[in-house]
Amino acid sequence: MFNNVHIKGVATYHPKYKVENKEFITHFKQYGQDEHLKHLMSKVGRKVRTHAEAGETSITMSVEAANRALENAGITAEDIDIIISATDTPEYLMPSCALIIRNKIGAKNANVTFDMNSNCVGMVNAMDVAWKYLKTDKKYKRAMVVGSLVVSPFTKKDDMITSPLVGDGGAAIILEAREDVEERGFLSSGMLTDDRYNDTIRFPACGLQNIIKEETDTNENKMQWNPFDFSFLAGEWTRLIESLLEEQDIKANDVSGYFMSQFSKDDIISTMNKLGVDNEKATFVADKYGYTGTTSPIMALNDTLKERSFKKDDHIIFCSVGAGYVMGAMLYKW
Amino acid sequence: MFNNVHIKGVATYHPKYKVENKEFITHFKQYGQDEHLKHLMSKVGRKVRTHAEAGETSITMSVEAANRALENAGITAEDIDIIISATDTPEYLMPSCALIIRNKIGAKNANVTFDMNSNCVGMVNAMDVAWKYLKTDKKYKRAMVVGSLVVSPFTKKDDMITSPLVGDGGAAIILEAREDVEERGFLSSGMLTDDRYNDTIRFPACGLQNIIKEETDTNENKMQWNPFDFSFLAGEWTRLIESLLEEQDIKANDVSGYFMSQFSKDDIISTMNKLGVDNEKATFVADKYGYTGTTSPIMALNDTLKERSFKKDDHIIFCSVGAGYVMGAMLYKW
């Protein structure tokens, strides 16, 4: 018998407030960047993004997504043993967001609670950790991985990359351990870190120790993005995905769905082309929601599952990239 | 053959700047709390604590501890496959501190890099996750768990609990996968979360979204500690430790060393008494360093290993508690 880990339920939360491209294009006219921005929006595939409204935080969004995922899975909060929150905009560092979420949803049997942060690889990375807990320790039956990004308040208004490209939202996915006669569920995972861009994206820009200093401009408590060449994406994603497929002796074209970082549509298409895979297999949702970081591959899965279901033995891939940079991927068999 | 995970090296870093009890007692006279503070210092066992100096952050301290742990282990940074940083005072949320530390120490083969936060249970929790990576995936041979707490800048000067009790410092521990004919190394782990105190400790007190608002007082970017009854500690630590010992059929008295949260000497002694264990088996170091949160059980191990070594088949326990609260423990066999 194999101690497998399956996807039991998934859900997302999007704030109601929508912002269209034209608002940003008008705003960036004052910097003479409107034409450049139009080109960028087209390359990365943006139309509309959702922004947090007053009172919405990474915790409120996580809680909304968590409750919806429980409903989708047909279980209650008390059925959850492990909560991992994966966000790089945690409303609090003390206590962990996972512990606050546990309290808000009433997951009174969740003894394992912690936060993880590998930026936009966060939820993929946290699914990997949840998989390892469920696979190695029979005390645990179900894990909830919950993530959110509330980044619109932290972008600088003159930053053409972050400000127009990002969106706020939450997502949650529930994993369950089951014994099967064959190996299925999560099959393999991998990460790839190259720290050459470690100083390009920084939040808070001033460093944590400076947020308490009177002399720090509050604008410096926001996010800094120094432009860098991200043409490495498609090549490195391909390398990472191929290493997982090779481990399991599966062909890229035999994978039924690709749930990628939603940062750039152009780079997703390049990756599919490099893998020799029909572009339609990679769901793209950032045209509707903006780039929602850690949650973005899970949002792509969630929207796909509303349109079509996967059959037994279908394979899917999760793959993302985070600041610095770090990549993470997982291979799953339904 | 068993795929075991062993401790390969350990090290700590303490800032040079030392603060004695008398400085705090003098300071708290103005609030009429000096006698109460003397009593508290005695109960929790404080004499001296170390504070970060200008230019020292959770990253610089992590890097110091990481380099020393590599030296202690007799390996180089290039031998590390996984870096997990565990701190609740991360200098940056983007990118992960693990990725910055990777860059600073030159761990160019560390493909897995991420941060974890379960507050003062952080490093114990991160060792648990590292154990699971090394146990389940043969791609990975060595993991570094590195933690630091730089909290002295974030305490409020009129807060009698946090301000005098805490200290700043870093610690690192290197774990290595090895095949043995018997099961040894890490044997079991457990966590226990009860969120009843989820709103007592909050950092940043104002919530992340408010640190960028002009109207937020910078004092509110600091840490809030609303006093609560922590008399649950000894009872709950005992329950958690006993559950791990029972899983492995080991008696509390047969454990050779207890490496506990260094928050309160009194509560460590109560725990040893409840377990029926000689108090000398639990190392206490917070009289020298203050309470250094996530790093504190590892600092206790590090200082113990300078005094004595453990024999093959000796068992040790790591056990800690974090904000909210969450507890974590691990059982290890040399």
Side-chain angles (χ1 to χ4, degrees):
Chain A
M1 294 295 275
F2 290 86
N3 192 22
N4 294 325
V5 177
H6 296 261
I7 295 171
K8 174 82 175 166
V10 60
T12 60
Y13 171 78
H14 306 285
K16 284 191 191 121
Y17 179 49
K18 291 179 181 179
V19 190
E20 293 190 26
N21 280 0
K22 61 185 179 195
E23 290 191 36
F24 289 101
I25 290 163
T26 305
H27 174 77
F28 279 90
K29 261 189 186 148
Q30 66 187 297
Y31 309 109
Q33 290 175 326
D34 47 324
E35 287 304 319
H36 187 175
L37 183 57
K38 272 186 210 167
H39 172 75
L40 179 64
M41 297 283 205
S42 162
K43 178 177 152 66
V44 299
R46 295 295 184 281
K47 290 174 186 162
V48 181
R49 71 283 292 143
T50 60
H51 280 186
E53 295 184 284
E56 290 194 308
T57 69
S58 56
I59 289 175
T60 67
M61 292 198 193
S62 292
V63 168
E64 285 287 347
N67 282 325
R68 291 174 188 189
L70 290 169
E71 199 183 324
N72 178 267
I75 60 172
T76 70
E78 296 180 15
D79 296 321
I80 300 293
D81 304 302
I82 298 172
I83 300 175
I84 307 177
S85 163
T87 174
D88 46 8
T89 54
E91 189 61 7
Y92 295 101
L93 292 164
M94 299 177 191
S96 73
C97 294
L99 190 140
I100 300 176
I101 293 162
R102 179 193 193 272
N103 175 265
K104 302 280 185 204
I105 67 173
K108 64 182 187 187
N109 298 313
N111 274 320
V112 178
T113 52
F114 58 88
D115 292 357
M116 285 180 61
N117 179 13
S118 45
N119 305 106
C120 302
V121 176
M123 288 188 75
V124 174
N125 191 181
M127 287 196 299
D128 192 7
V129 169
W131 173 37
K132 288 170 167 58
Y133 266 89
L134 294 173
K135 203 173 177 66
T136 59
D137 195 329
K138 295 201 173 194
K139 283 200 290 287
Y140 311 118
K141 181 90 178 143
R142 285 180 211 92
M144 175 187 279
V145 170
V146 54
S148 66
L149 182 75
V150 179
V151 71
S152 70
F154 302 110
T155 60
K156 295 181 181 177
K157 295 309 162 214
D158 59 353
D159 180 346
M160 201 184 65
I161 304 286
T162 56
S163 172
L165 262 51
V166 300
D168 304 325
I173 187 162
I174 295 167
L175 309 184
E176 185 176 77
R178 281 182 229 156
E179 289 211 330
D180 299 312
V181 290
E182 299 162 307
E183 190 173 25
R184 59 179 64 249
F186 289 99
L187 298 182
S188 59
S189 67
M191 284 180 92
L192 193 163
T193 303
D194 178 342
D195 57 43
R196 85 178 87 163
Y197 297 121
N198 78 84
D199 58 356
T200 54
I201 304 173
R202 291 272 161 117
F203 171 64
C206 61
L208 192 71
Q209 282 202 35
N210 290 313
I211 68 167
I212 51 167
K213 292 183 181 161
E214 294 284 353
E215 64 269 27
T216 304
D217 184 327
T218 50
N219 205 41
E220 290 311 305
N221 292 345
K222 293 186 176 177
M223 180 182 171
Q224 164 198 304
W225 180 297
N226 294 336
F228 58 94
D229 176 12
F230 47 85
S231 62
F232 65 88
L233 280 178
E236 292 297 84
W237 274 340
T238 302
R239 186 157 77 95
L240 180 58
I241 290 168
E242 282 178 341
S243 73
L244 293 200
L245 294 173
E246 208 169 294
E247 239 180 71
Q248 299 290 326
D249 202 19
I250 293 162
K251 300 268 171 283
N253 228 345
D254 294 336
V255 172
S256 307
Y258 285 84
F259 303 100
M260 308 286 296
S261 157
Q262 300 291 303
F263 179 67
S264 161
K265 187 170 186 177
D266 204 46
D267 290 287
I268 295 175
I269 291 171
S270 294
T271 307
M272 294 304 115
N273 290 344
K274 277 178 193 287
L275 289 167
V277 168
D278 179 357
N279 296 346
E280 294 299 310
K281 284 190 176 175
T283 306
F284 188 71
V285 299
D287 53 341
K288 294 183 284 183
Y289 309 128
Y291 180 52
T292 56
T294 180
T295 67
S296 78
I298 311 303
M299 286 185 178
L301 173 68
N302 185 67
D303 283 19
T304 302
L305 290 175
K306 284 180 185 162
E307 301 284 323
R308 62 184 175 119
S309 53
F310 292 97
K311 299 185 306 294
K312 192 175 173 189
D313 296 338
D314 280 353
H315 288 88
I316 60 172
I317 285 272
F318 297 94
C319 180
S320 195
V321 64
Y325 66 90
V326 54
M327 291 183 166
M330 293 191 84
L331 175 63
Y332 181 86
K333 184 180 183 178
W334 293 91
Chain B
M1 296 293 277
F2 290 85
N3 192 23
N4 293 325
V5 177
H6 296 261
I7 295 172
K8 175 82 175 166
V10 60
T12 60
Y13 171 79
H14 306 286
K16 285 193 190 116
Y17 179 49
K18 292 180 180 176
V19 190
E20 293 190 25
N21 280 0
K22 60 185 180 194
E23 290 191 35
F24 288 101
I25 289 162
T26 304
H27 174 77
F28 278 91
K29 261 189 187 147
Q30 66 187 297
Y31 308 111
Q33 291 176 325
D34 47 324
E35 286 304 318
H36 187 174
L37 183 56
K38 273 185 209 167
H39 172 75
L40 180 64
M41 296 284 204
S42 162
K43 178 177 151 68
V44 299
R46 296 295 186 279
K47 289 173 186 164
V48 181
R49 70 283 292 145
T50 60
H51 280 187
E53 295 184 284
E56 289 194 309
T57 68
S58 56
I59 289 176
T60 67
M61 292 198 193
S62 292
V63 168
E64 285 286 346
N67 282 325
R68 291 174 188 190
L70 290 169
E71 200 183 323
N72 178 266
I75 60 172
T76 70
E78 296 180 16
D79 296 319
I80 300 293
D81 304 301
I82 299 172
I83 300 174
I84 308 176
S85 163
T87 174
D88 47 6
T89 55
E91 189 61 8
Y92 295 101
L93 292 164
M94 301 177 190
S96 72
C97 294
L99 191 140
I100 300 176
I101 293 162
R102 179 192 192 273
N103 175 264
K104 302 278 186 204
I105 66 172
K108 65 181 187 187
N109 298 313
N111 274 320
V112 177
T113 52
F114 58 88
D115 292 357
M116 286 181 61
N117 180 13
S118 46
N119 303 108
C120 302
V121 176
M123 287 189 75
V124 174
N125 191 181
M127 288 196 298
D128 192 6
V129 169
W131 172 37
K132 288 169 166 60
Y133 266 91
L134 295 173
K135 204 173 176 65
T136 59
D137 195 329
K138 295 200 174 196
K139 283 199 290 286
Y140 310 118
K141 181 88 179 146
R142 286 181 209 90
M144 176 187 278
V145 170
V146 54
S148 66
L149 182 76
V150 179
V151 70
S152 69
F154 302 110
T155 59
K156 295 181 182 176
K157 296 308 163 215
D158 59 351
D159 180 345
M160 202 185 62
I161 304 286
T162 57
S163 172
L165 262 50
V166 299
D168 304 325
I173 188 162
I174 295 168
L175 310 183
E176 184 175 79
R178 280 182 229 155
E179 288 212 331
D180 299 312
V181 291
E182 299 162 307
E183 190 172 27
R184 59 179 64 251
F186 289 99
L187 298 181
S188 58
S189 66
M191 285 181 91
L192 193 162
T193 303
D194 178 341
D195 58 42
R196 85 178 87 162
Y197 298 122
N198 79 84
D199 59 355
T200 54
I201 304 173
R202 290 272 162 117
F203 171 64
C206 60
L208 191 71
Q209 282 202 35
N210 290 313
I211 69 166
I212 51 166
K213 292 182 180 162
E214 295 284 352
E215 64 269 28
T216 304
D217 185 327
T218 50
N219 205 42
E220 290 311 304
N221 292 345
K222 292 185 176 177
M223 181 182 172
Q224 163 197 304
W225 180 297
N226 294 335
F228 58 95
D229 177 11
F230 46 85
S231 62
F232 64 89
L233 280 178
E236 292 297 83
W237 274 339
T238 301
R239 185 157 77 95
L240 180 58
I241 290 168
E242 282 179 340
S243 74
L244 293 200
L245 295 173
E246 207 170 294
E247 239 180 70
Q248 299 289 325
D249 201 19
I250 292 162
K251 300 268 170 285
N253 229 345
D254 295 336
V255 172
S256 307
Y258 285 85
F259 303 100
M260 309 284 297
S261 157
Q262 300 290 304
F263 179 68
S264 161
K265 187 171 186 176
D266 204 46
D267 290 288
I268 295 175
I269 291 170
S270 293
T271 307
M272 294 304 115
N273 291 344
K274 278 178 192 287
L275 289 166
V277 168
D278 179 358
N279 296 344
E280 295 299 310
K281 284 191 177 174
T283 306
F284 188 71
V285 299
D287 52 342
K288 295 182 283 183
Y289 310 128
Y291 179 52
T292 56
T294 179
T295 68
S296 78
I298 311 304
M299 286 185 178
L301 174 68
N302 185 67
D303 283 20
T304 301
L305 291 175
K306 285 180 184 163
E307 303 284 322
R308 63 182 174 117
S309 53
F310 292 96
K311 298 185 308 293
K312 192 175 173 189
D313 296 339
D314 280 355
H315 288 87
I316 61 172
I317 285 273
F318 296 94
C319 181
S320 195
V321 64
Y325 65 90
V326 54
M327 291 182 166
M330 293 191 84
L331 175 63
Y332 182 85
K333 183 180 184 178
W334 293 91

mmCIF file of all heavy atoms in Angstrom, chain A residues 277-304:
data_model
loop_
_atom_site.group_PDB
_atom_site.id
_atom_site.type_symbol
_atom_site.label_atom_id
_atom_site.label_comp_id
_atom_site.label_asym_id
_atom_site.label_seq_id
_atom_site.Cartn_x
_atom_site.Cartn_y
_atom_site.Cartn_z
ATOM 1 N N VAL A 277 4.553 21.607 -25.749
ATOM 2 C CA VAL A 277 3.216 21.330 -25.214
ATOM 3 C C VAL A 277 2.227 22.373 -25.760
ATOM 4 O O VAL A 277 2.558 23.565 -25.841
ATOM 5 C CB VAL A 277 3.259 21.378 -23.665
ATOM 6 C CG1 VAL A 277 1.863 21.401 -23.073
ATOM 7 C CG2 VAL A 277 4.053 20.197 -23.116
ATOM 8 N N ASP A 278 1.026 21.926 -26.096
ATOM 9 C CA ASP A 278 -0.063 22.808 -26.522
ATOM 10 C C ASP A 278 -0.265 23.925 -25.465
ATOM 11 O O ASP A 278 -0.472 23.634 -24.291
ATOM 12 C CB ASP A 278 -1.331 21.941 -26.637
ATOM 13 C CG ASP A 278 -2.550 22.742 -27.045
ATOM 14 O OD1 ASP A 278 -2.451 23.987 -27.182
ATOM 15 O OD2 ASP A 278 -3.619 22.121 -27.222
ATOM 16 N N ASN A 279 -0.208 25.183 -25.892
ATOM 17 C CA ASN A 279 -0.312 26.313 -24.964
ATOM 18 C C ASN A 279 -1.600 26.298 -24.135
ATOM 19 O O ASN A 279 -1.650 26.853 -23.042
ATOM 20 C CB ASN A 279 -0.250 27.647 -25.731
ATOM 21 C CG ASN A 279 1.091 27.834 -26.417
ATOM 22 O OD1 ASN A 279 2.050 27.123 -26.119
ATOM 23 N ND2 ASN A 279 1.160 28.769 -27.354
ATOM 24 N N GLU A 280 -2.634 25.665 -24.696
ATOM 25 C CA GLU A 280 -3.931 25.633 -24.002
ATOM 26 C C GLU A 280 -3.869 24.847 -22.690
ATOM 27 O O GLU A 280 -4.748 24.967 -21.846
ATOM 28 C CB GLU A 280 -5.011 25.011 -24.907
ATOM 29 C CG GLU A 280 -5.336 25.831 -26.135
ATOM 30 C CD GLU A 280 -5.875 27.224 -25.798
ATOM 31 O OE1 GLU A 280 -6.807 27.293 -24.983
ATOM 32 O OE2 GLU A 280 -5.339 28.225 -26.341
ATOM 33 N N LYS A 281 -2.831 24.037 -22.548
ATOM 34 C CA LYS A 281 -2.721 23.234 -21.311
ATOM 35 C C LYS A 281 -2.324 24.077 -20.099
ATOM 36 O O LYS A 281 -2.432 23.624 -18.966
ATOM 37 C CB LYS A 281 -1.717 22.100 -21.510
ATOM 38 C CG LYS A 281 -2.281 20.955 -22.354
ATOM 39 C CD LYS A 281 -1.370 19.751 -22.321
ATOM 40 C CE LYS A 281 -2.001 18.593 -23.074
ATOM 41 N NZ LYS A 281 -1.080 17.443 -23.163
ATOM 42 N N ALA A 282 -1.824 25.289 -20.350
ATOM 43 C CA ALA A 282 -1.441 26.180 -19.237
ATOM 44 C C ALA A 282 -2.527 27.230 -19.050
ATOM 45 O O ALA A 282 -2.742 28.077 -19.910
ATOM 46 C CB ALA A 282 -0.104 26.840 -19.527
ATOM 47 N N THR A 283 -3.214 27.150 -17.935
ATOM 48 C CA THR A 283 -4.298 28.096 -17.650
ATOM 49 C C THR A 283 -3.723 29.469 -17.312
ATOM 50 O O THR A 283 -2.784 29.568 -16.524
ATOM 51 C CB THR A 283 -5.117 27.591 -16.441
ATOM 52 O OG1 THR A 283 -5.535 26.266 -16.713
ATOM 53 C CG2 THR A 283 -6.320 28.489 -16.179
ATOM 54 N N PHE A 284 -4.301 30.506 -17.894
ATOM 55 C CA PHE A 284 -3.874 31.869 -17.564
ATOM 56 C C PHE A 284 -5.044 32.657 -16.981
ATOM 57 O O PHE A 284 -6.107 32.748 -17.600
ATOM 58 C CB PHE A 284 -3.305 32.586 -18.795
ATOM 59 C CG PHE A 284 -2.678 33.904 -18.443
ATOM 60 C CD1 PHE A 284 -1.474 33.933 -17.749
ATOM 61 C CD2 PHE A 284 -3.292 35.102 -18.761
ATOM 62 C CE1 PHE A 284 -0.889 35.147 -17.383
ATOM 63 C CE2 PHE A 284 -2.713 36.321 -18.400
ATOM 64 C CZ PHE A 284 -1.516 36.335 -17.719
ATOM 65 N N VAL A 285 -4.857 33.214 -15.789
ATOM 66 C CA VAL A 285 -5.948 33.946 -15.121
ATOM 67 C C VAL A 285 -5.557 35.364 -14.694
ATOM 68 O O VAL A 285 -6.398 36.113 -14.191
ATOM 69 C CB VAL A 285 -6.489 33.181 -13.878
ATOM 70 C CG1 VAL A 285 -7.065 31.835 -14.276
ATOM 71 C CG2 VAL A 285 -5.402 33.006 -12.802
ATOM 72 N N ALA A 286 -4.273 35.736 -14.887
ATOM 73 C CA ALA A 286 -3.824 37.048 -14.387
ATOM 74 C C ALA A 286 -4.407 38.206 -15.183
ATOM 75 O O ALA A 286 -4.317 39.357 -14.752
ATOM 76 C CB ALA A 286 -2.299 37.128 -14.372
ATOM 77 N N ASP A 287 -5.038 37.900 -16.354
ATOM 78 C CA ASP A 287 -5.757 38.961 -17.066
ATOM 79 C C ASP A 287 -6.978 39.425 -16.271
ATOM 80 O O ASP A 287 -7.406 40.568 -16.381
ATOM 81 C CB ASP A 287 -6.167 38.479 -18.472
ATOM 82 C CG ASP A 287 -6.932 37.168 -18.452
ATOM 83 O OD1 ASP A 287 -6.853 36.426 -17.434
ATOM 84 O OD2 ASP A 287 -7.615 36.852 -19.445
ATOM 85 N N LYS A 288 -7.501 38.532 -15.406
ATOM 86 C CA LYS A 288 -8.687 38.868 -14.599
ATOM 87 C C LYS A 288 -8.337 39.357 -13.196
ATOM 88 O O LYS A 288 -9.091 40.115 -12.583
ATOM 89 C CB LYS A 288 -9.561 37.612 -14.417
ATOM 90 C CG LYS A 288 -10.187 37.095 -15.696
ATOM 91 C CD LYS A 288 -11.093 35.879 -15.429
ATOM 92 C CE LYS A 288 -10.282 34.614 -15.184
ATOM 93 N NZ LYS A 288 -11.113 33.400 -14.995
ATOM 94 N N TYR A 289 -7.214 38.850 -12.660
ATOM 95 C CA TYR A 289 -6.935 39.094 -11.235
ATOM 96 C C TYR A 289 -5.654 39.882 -10.981
ATOM 97 O O TYR A 289 -5.398 40.270 -9.840
ATOM 98 C CB TYR A 289 -6.822 37.757 -10.492
ATOM 99 C CG TYR A 289 -7.976 36.815 -10.729
ATOM 100 C CD1 TYR A 289 -7.775 35.492 -11.127
ATOM 101 C CD2 TYR A 289 -9.292 37.248 -10.537
ATOM 102 C CE1 TYR A 289 -8.831 34.621 -11.338
ATOM 103 C CE2 TYR A 289 -10.364 36.383 -10.751
ATOM 104 C CZ TYR A 289 -10.130 35.073 -11.155
ATOM 105 O OH TYR A 289 -11.178 34.224 -11.353
ATOM 106 N N GLY A 290 -4.830 40.106 -12.006
ATOM 107 C CA GLY A 290 -3.486 40.648 -11.789
ATOM 108 C C GLY A 290 -2.582 39.543 -11.272
ATOM 109 O O GLY A 290 -3.005 38.387 -11.126
ATOM 110 N N TYR A 291 -1.352 39.913 -10.974
ATOM 111 C CA TYR A 291 -0.414 38.909 -10.476
ATOM 112 C C TYR A 291 -0.542 38.801 -8.971
ATOM 113 O O TYR A 291 -0.206 39.730 -8.232
ATOM 114 C CB TYR A 291 1.025 39.266 -10.853
ATOM 115 C CG TYR A 291 2.004 38.246 -10.341
ATOM 116 C CD1 TYR A 291 1.819 36.889 -10.615
ATOM 117 C CD2 TYR A 291 3.101 38.600 -9.563
ATOM 118 C CE1 TYR A 291 2.683 35.939 -10.134
ATOM 119 C CE2 TYR A 291 3.983 37.653 -9.083
ATOM 120 C CZ TYR A 291 3.764 36.322 -9.370
ATOM 121 O OH TYR A 291 4.622 35.370 -8.884
ATOM 122 N N THR A 292 -1.013 37.658 -8.510
ATOM 123 C CA THR A 292 -1.317 37.465 -7.095
ATOM 124 C C THR A 292 -0.296 36.565 -6.407
ATOM 125 O O THR A 292 -0.605 35.891 -5.428
ATOM 126 C CB THR A 292 -2.740 36.893 -6.929
ATOM 127 O OG1 THR A 292 -2.800 35.688 -7.709
ATOM 128 C CG2 THR A 292 -3.799 37.874 -7.402
ATOM 129 N N GLY A 293 0.923 36.575 -6.930
ATOM 130 C CA GLY A 293 2.060 35.935 -6.258
ATOM 131 C C GLY A 293 1.834 34.513 -5.825
ATOM 132 O O GLY A 293 1.463 33.642 -6.624
ATOM 133 N N THR A 294 2.064 34.260 -4.530
ATOM 134 C CA THR A 294 1.983 32.915 -3.936
ATOM 135 C C THR A 294 0.716 32.157 -4.313
ATOM 136 O O THR A 294 0.723 30.947 -4.489
ATOM 137 C CB THR A 294 2.132 33.025 -2.394
ATOM 138 O OG1 THR A 294 2.060 31.738 -1.812
ATOM 139 C CG2 THR A 294 1.076 33.915 -1.761
ATOM 140 N N THR A 295 -0.393 32.878 -4.460
ATOM 141 C CA THR A 295 -1.680 32.219 -4.715
ATOM 142 C C THR A 295 -1.890 31.894 -6.192
ATOM 143 O O THR A 295 -2.834 31.181 -6.541
ATOM 144 C CB THR A 295 -2.866 33.121 -4.304
ATOM 145 O OG1 THR A 295 -2.898 34.249 -5.189
ATOM 146 C CG2 THR A 295 -2.747 33.604 -2.871
ATOM 147 N N SER A 296 -1.051 32.430 -7.066
ATOM 148 C CA SER A 296 -1.431 32.449 -8.474
ATOM 149 C C SER A 296 -1.548 31.072 -9.142
ATOM 150 O O SER A 296 -2.504 30.840 -9.895
ATOM 151 C CB SER A 296 -0.559 33.439 -9.261
ATOM 152 O OG SER A 296 0.715 32.952 -9.553
ATOM 153 N N PRO A 297 -0.654 30.099 -8.857
ATOM 154 C CA PRO A 297 -0.881 28.786 -9.484
ATOM 155 C C PRO A 297 -2.171 28.104 -8.979
ATOM 156 O O PRO A 297 -2.821 27.357 -9.715
ATOM 157 C CB PRO A 297 0.354 27.962 -9.078
ATOM 158 C CG PRO A 297 1.366 28.961 -8.634
ATOM 159 C CD PRO A 297 0.596 30.114 -8.079
ATOM 160 N N ILE A 298 -2.514 28.389 -7.717
ATOM 161 C CA ILE A 298 -3.713 27.763 -7.123
ATOM 162 C C ILE A 298 -4.968 28.419 -7.704
ATOM 163 O O ILE A 298 -5.991 27.756 -7.936
ATOM 164 C CB ILE A 298 -3.688 27.878 -5.576
ATOM 165 C CG1 ILE A 298 -2.336 27.416 -5.022
ATOM 166 C CG2 ILE A 298 -4.848 27.098 -4.947
ATOM 167 C CD1 ILE A 298 -1.924 26.009 -5.383
ATOM 168 N N MET A 299 -4.900 29.717 -7.966
ATOM 169 C CA MET A 299 -6.028 30.391 -8.638
ATOM 170 C C MET A 299 -6.228 29.801 -10.041
ATOM 171 O O MET A 299 -7.369 29.630 -10.488
ATOM 172 C CB MET A 299 -5.767 31.892 -8.723
ATOM 173 C CG MET A 299 -5.947 32.584 -7.382
ATOM 174 S SD MET A 299 -5.775 34.372 -7.545
ATOM 175 C CE MET A 299 -6.099 34.866 -5.833
ATOM 176 N N ALA A 300 -5.130 29.504 -10.718
ATOM 177 C CA ALA A 300 -5.240 28.905 -12.058
ATOM 178 C C ALA A 300 -5.898 27.529 -11.974
ATOM 179 O O ALA A 300 -6.779 27.195 -12.779
ATOM 180 C CB ALA A 300 -3.852 28.798 -12.695
ATOM 181 N N LEU A 301 -5.516 26.739 -10.969
ATOM 182 C CA LEU A 301 -6.144 25.420 -10.782
ATOM 183 C C LEU A 301 -7.627 25.570 -10.466
ATOM 184 O O LEU A 301 -8.478 24.881 -11.040
ATOM 185 C CB LEU A 301 -5.448 24.664 -9.638
ATOM 186 C CG LEU A 301 -6.119 23.339 -9.237
ATOM 187 C CD1 LEU A 301 -5.994 22.288 -10.350
ATOM 188 C CD2 LEU A 301 -5.546 22.783 -7.924
ATOM 189 N N ASN A 302 -7.942 26.473 -9.559
ATOM 190 C CA ASN A 302 -9.327 26.669 -9.123
ATOM 191 C C ASN A 302 -10.242 27.006 -10.307
ATOM 192 O O ASN A 302 -11.322 26.417 -10.473
ATOM 193 C CB ASN A 302 -9.372 27.789 -8.082
ATOM 194 C CG ASN A 302 -10.756 27.967 -7.481
ATOM 195 O OD1 ASN A 302 -11.234 27.099 -6.777
ATOM 196 N ND2 ASN A 302 -11.400 29.089 -7.793
ATOM 197 N N ASP A 303 -9.801 27.951 -11.150
ATOM 198 C CA ASP A 303 -10.634 28.357 -12.287
ATOM 199 C C ASP A 303 -10.747 27.230 -13.312
ATOM 200 O O ASP A 303 -11.804 27.053 -13.934
ATOM 201 C CB ASP A 303 -10.067 29.628 -12.935
ATOM 202 C CG ASP A 303 -10.423 30.867 -12.094
ATOM 203 O OD1 ASP A 303 -10.758 30.692 -10.903
ATOM 204 O OD2 ASP A 303 -10.367 31.993 -12.626
ATOM 205 N N THR A 304 -9.678 26.460 -13.464
ATOM 206 C CA THR A 304 -9.705 25.333 -14.405
ATOM 207 C C THR A 304 -10.719 24.274 -13.961
ATOM 208 O O THR A 304 -11.473 23.738 -14.781
ATOM 209 C CB THR A 304 -8.303 24.702 -14.522
ATOM 210 O OG1 THR A 304 -7.402 25.719 -14.938
ATOM 211 C CG2 THR A 304 -8.288 23.553 -15.520
#
